[in-house]
Amino acid sequence: QYPQDDLIPAMAEDVERLQMIANRFSKIGSIPELEDADLKALLERVTDYIDHRTSDKVKISTHVPDSLPPVRLNVALFEWVIENLSKNAVDAMGANGGQITLHVEEIDDKAIIEVSDTGNGIRKKDLKNVFRPGFTTKKRGWGLGLSLAKRIVEEYHHGKIWVKSTEIGQ
């Protein structure tokens, strides 16, 4: 009835997003198909998505070499990993905001992605549990995000994921 309504494009984006989420969940537990993908474009899509859904106090930057060759991965699942890490970073920063940086470099034909933030840090005693299913420091949530991210990175993509460094308050 209202083809010029400004909400129609937003609703179409929401439907597309829900389809993508359903697609991601259908891939969990099965062996995903890997394909050559443009990591820079993937990171830009995710950071654009996060940027439009967070406070203006949160700044997200990506540093990806232009010469990076295509990377073999499952786009839907890997986007989810980066999205989850970014959302955790936003949560760790709280209302004051801060900076999330995604830095990519190629070492020995491998893409190394470092995600850093200016959040509150992780307590040393929690480091061994951050990837354990059910572990969370948040008031809400099931504590499944990082355990799924670990499974996607390590089991499906044969990569590694870990906390490189952290300090409380930094």
Side-chain angles (χ1 to χ4, degrees):
Q1 275 186 321
Y2 305 100
Q4 304 306 318
D5 193 313
D6 291 340
L7 291 177
I8 290 177
M11 290 171 65
E13 286 178 20
D14 289 345
V15 168
E16 188 176 308
R17 180 86 183 146
L18 289 170
Q19 287 173 327
M20 182 181 63
I21 291 168
N23 182 31
R24 287 176 180 169
F25 276 103
S26 73
K27 290 179 183 344
I28 299 287
S30 62
I31 298 172
E33 294 179 23
L34 304 182
E35 60 185 294
D36 285 345
D38 181 343
L39 189 57
K40 185 173 189 166
L42 181 151
L43 293 175
E44 287 172 355
R45 276 193 308 275
V46 173
T47 54
D48 186 56
Y49 172 77
I50 297 293
D51 190 47
H52 283 87
R53 284 155 183 82
T54 57
S55 162
D56 289 340
K57 294 178 181 178
V58 174
K59 302 297 178 208
I60 305 173
S61 61
T62 59
H63 306 280
V64 183
D66 291 330
S67 61
L68 188 71
V71 177
R72 292 206 48 85
L73 48 77
N74 181 284
V75 172
L77 291 178
F78 207 81
E79 281 181 346
W80 185 85
V81 168
I82 301 300
E83 189 178 304
N84 184 267
L85 294 173
S86 299
K87 285 180 179 179
N88 280 355
V90 170
D91 290 345
M93 288 185 274
N96 294 330
Q99 175 73 39
I100 302 170
T101 304
L102 291 95
H103 179 83
V104 179
E105 62 183 303
E106 183 184 8
I107 300 175
D108 298 329
D109 294 328
K110 291 180 175 62
I112 310 299
I113 305 168
E114 185 172 291
V115 180
S116 60
D117 64 69
T118 57
N120 293 324
I122 301 169
R123 296 181 306 185
K124 297 287 183 210
K125 71 176 194 165
D126 291 336
L127 278 176
K128 64 183 178 294
N129 293 315
V130 294
F131 294 107
R132 186 176 51 82
F135 177 79
T136 184
T137 58
K138 300 176 189 174
K139 291 185 175 152
R140 34 178 278 177
W142 292 354
L144 296 176
L146 288 177
S147 64
L148 284 173
K150 183 176 180 76
R151 183 174 184 179
I152 290 167
V153 169
E154 294 187 354
E155 292 180 27
Y156 295 165
H157 293 89
H158 308 290
K160 294 180 183 172
I161 185 171
W162 69 93
V163 177
K164 183 176 177 181
S165 65
T166 185
E167 276 189 56
I168 294 298
Q170 295 187 15

